Amino acid sequence: MDPKIAYQGEPGSNSSIACQEVYPHLKPLACSSFEEAFSHLADGSAELAMIPIENSIAGRVADIHSLLPASNLQIIGEHFLRIRFDLLGIPGSKIEDAKEVHSHIHALGQCRGIIQSLNLTPVIAGDTAGSAREVRDWNDPTKVSLAPPKAAEMYGLDVLASGVEDDPTNTTRFVILGRERPLPKRGDLPEHVITTLVFRVRNVPSALFKALGGFATCGVNMTRIESYMVGAEFAATMFLVDLQGHPEDHPMKTALEELAFFTSEVKILGVYAAHSHRSN
């Protein structure tokens, strides 16, 4: 049986493109949801999963903070993908006939310019490539899709306009997940490393300020921080952070020791090589 890499979406989506760029030797396994992708990885029917975690325009993509901590899965790498969208219609259709544009909610948000200029009605679909397949199946010249360029050939559609994303630097960061394993040692990774972790602050005044203080005083750079509530009591807050460095590095080790004083829970979700995009 060919080893597989799971992703959310349909063939031709940006997630499937990311799978092919990083792991061309693995068979992409399309999933209808992030939960399904996690499940395939957890039960061994997939070796890895490619999950979009944030976009340079739209912000957070997957709710990995709620899915990953209890999943017994681990971040083993990251990938940055330049995002491109074309406006696709059925063969013979014309751009002036378009009335509705279908795509993933984030794609619609990343292509507001052409949607407004053509006075199109945006309709949310579950996936970019899936919206291209639906437009093909509907065979209606008034319905168009915003999808990656590969989707046109894959679903037999005409390109009515290409490169319609609002920002030419539009980029999505993916994390590559594997089943839980011992964290890699410092010597097993290159110089530039990312550590991703979640922590819950104690319910005391200035807890977050104190928790983060150790990273500042130790010179550990934080490239991302997000907060989210735990449960429905609106009292416990968890934070997800990306840090530059390895837990074995002295500055990081000292900062994590200080973090423990002001938190009730800390879980490292992954330690992995930083992608070259970070140095561009």
Side-chain angles (χ1 to χ4, degrees), residues 19-239:
C19 291
Q20 293 163 5
E21 284 190 358
V22 186
Y23 296 101
H25 61 288
L26 297 181
K27 183 178 180 180
L29 176 59
C31 301
S32 61
S33 65
F34 294 119
E35 290 85 351
E36 182 183 349
F38 275 57
S39 178
H40 280 302
L41 179 54
D43 68 18
S45 54
E47 295 302 313
L48 299 172
M50 182 74 69
I51 305 295
I53 189 171
E54 56 185 329
N55 176 266
S56 58
I57 298 174
R60 186 167 73 194
V61 180
D63 289 330
I64 198 167
H65 60 268
S66 62
L67 295 172
L68 192 55
S71 67
N72 295 321
L73 303 177
Q74 185 175 311
I75 303 174
I76 65 165
E78 64 177 357
H79 182 62
F80 288 78
L81 179 69
R82 167 74 169 84
I83 302 299
R84 295 175 173 86
F85 289 113
D86 288 351
L87 191 69
L88 310 179
I90 63 172
S93 61
K94 299 178 180 179
I95 196 169
E96 55 266 28
D97 295 331
K99 303 295 183 185
E100 290 182 359
V101 57
H102 298 252
S103 198
H104 188 275
I105 186 171
H106 287 294
L108 296 171
Q110 294 162 27
C111 302
R112 290 190 178 95
I114 192 167
I115 293 174
Q116 294 173 357
S117 66
L118 297 176
N119 196 29
L120 300 175
T121 299
V123 180
I124 297 172
D127 176 63
T128 54
S131 72
R133 175 184 52 77
E134 290 173 336
V135 165
R136 178 201 64 187
D137 294 345
W138 289 325
N139 197 34
D140 182 343
T142 68
K143 300 180 187 297
V144 295
S145 164
L146 282 168
K150 286 187 177 180
E153 180 180 355
M154 185 168 292
Y155 296 103
L157 299 176
D158 286 351
V159 177
L160 306 181
S162 60
V164 298
E165 62 274 7
D166 295 332
D167 189 336
T169 65
N170 188 5
T171 302
T172 291
R173 176 186 174 222
F174 292 80
V175 289
I176 301 156
L177 305 182
R179 286 181 287 280
E180 203 165 44
R181 65 198 71 181
L183 294 173
K185 300 294 185 181
R186 188 61 177 101
D188 297 332
L189 292 171
E191 177 184 359
H192 299 293
V193 172
I194 301 297
T195 295
T196 298
L197 58 84
V198 291
F199 63 87
R200 185 195 304 232
V201 294
R202 298 184 185 277
N203 193 17
V204 296
S206 303
L208 178 60
F209 175 80
K210 295 173 182 176
L212 298 181
F215 297 115
T217 56
C218 293
V220 176
N221 189 33
M222 184 178 298
T223 62
R224 179 182 185 223
I225 180 169
E226 289 192 13
S227 65
Y228 56 97
M229 303 304 297
V230 179
E233 68 273 16
F234 292 93
T237 304
M238 295 285 288
F239 294 87

